[in-house]
Amino acid sequence: MNQGTGEQIAGDLQDRLLLAEYPVFLYKMEAQEEDIFSAESDYDRLMMLEGSDEDNKAIAEGELEYGEDAMHLEKGLADALLAENGMFLENQAAQQNEEHEEEQISDNTPKGFVPIRSKSYSYRWEELQDYEALIKAFYAVDSSTKAGAELLSAEKLLSKDMRLQGGSDEPQILIYHTHAQEAFADSIPGDESTSIVGVGEHLASILRQRYGYNVLHHTESFDKESRDYAYGNALPVIEQLLAEHSTIEVVIDLHRDAMPESRRLVMDLQGKPTAQIMFFNGLSRTAKGGIEYLENPYLDDNLAFSFQMQAACNEYYPGLARRIYLKAYRYNMHLCPKTLLIELGAQNNTVEEMKNACEPLAHVLSLVLSGEEPKR
């Protein structure tokens, strides 16, 4: 099973089951794939497909079934990373707890999350020069699209400079939610603070208060009536925000994933239940070729940003990040070079787990935007 993880998906049933962990599931086998590909010349239809919730509904209603291997696709990822360095998760957890306790004792005031100072794992980039090795280590590629060595090489992805260029006097980071209606296991209906919007505000607050970034959090709902055209609804609004705030260098579209109820995306981090995260990229091309109406001039930058975030997550917080998911469409990632689409947790995580994940996510974002990590 592990040998197939992250490889270009050929389309057989076993491969599709292996991808069941990821956020936007394969579209009902070959019959529906043909329908997707026939939409390449139809912009409206493509925008609808980007926001479609059909697969999430099928999962929630139990219409899709997954084998044990598919449900635990990422189970050994953190262990494997640490084992390569001769380390174990138990030792790392003990080290984190010791650092946490030391900071608390220093002034007898609980500090909550403590950013990790030293890496748990270090990549040997010379071993990831091969395209297939890189795919296996970092990516899951949906059958609706295709990647390729011309897009994905460690040298190319690491060479992009993701450091912020401007100061914090004006907005630097924009956080918004294409799917603002997304909620969690213990969300309170009508209470926005317990939805993905509330999680976004928590992330924004950490970035402002702990790391000193100027963050604009846009809370408008683009999916209130339907998810089908949420990306199309969001596009002119985000374009206008970027026009009004030309100093914004980073755009984050924050979502939560959809999982079968038996599968929870959670790990223990510094003694706290913490939702796992996943970075997502649209490649603006199907398996048959480019999508004319969904051109993305910043595709290389988008891919480099998510790659560098993934690398830093794995080095500092092994097990926090699932593999980067690549799909066919664009998801409004063409508006800014440093754009992230993040799937944080899922519908069956708690609000506490989601907010706990914002702490390491903010730390990793700061490492990448400061140029401190990942080391080339």
Side-chain angles (χ1 to χ4, degrees), residues 198 263 307 309 317:
R263 176 70 166 109
F307 181 83
M309 288 289 293
Y317 305 99

Side-chain angles (χ1 to χ4, degrees), residues 268-289:
D268 180 279
L269 182 61
Q270 299 183 0
K272 296 182 178 181
T274 303
Q276 293 173 298
I277 66 178
M278 186 177 69
F279 304 108
F280 184 107
N281 286 97
L283 299 187
S284 293
R285 62 183 183 185
T286 70
K288 294 186 176 182

Side-chain angles (χ1 to χ4, degrees), residues 184-186 264-266 275-276 345-351 353-354:
F184 315 107
D186 57 349
R264 297 192 69 245
L265 303 175
V266 65
Q276 293 173 298
Q347 85 287 353
N348 52 3
N349 283 100
T350 66
V351 176
E353 291 164 353
M354 298 291 289

Side-chain angles (χ1 to χ4, degrees), residues 43 47 50 176 231 234-236 238-239 242 251 282 284 293-299 302 329-339:
Y43 180 80
M47 294 302 288
E50 283 189 321
Y176 77 102
Y231 285 95
L235 179 57
I238 304 308
E239 285 178 323
L242 293 176
V251 174
S284 293
Y293 294 98
L294 297 182
E295 183 182 2
N296 182 357
Y298 300 128
L299 178 58
N302 296 164
Y329 311 116
R330 187 174 63 183
Y331 304 96
N332 290 338
M333 299 186 76
H334 64 299
L335 300 178
C336 180
K338 298 184 186 74
T339 296

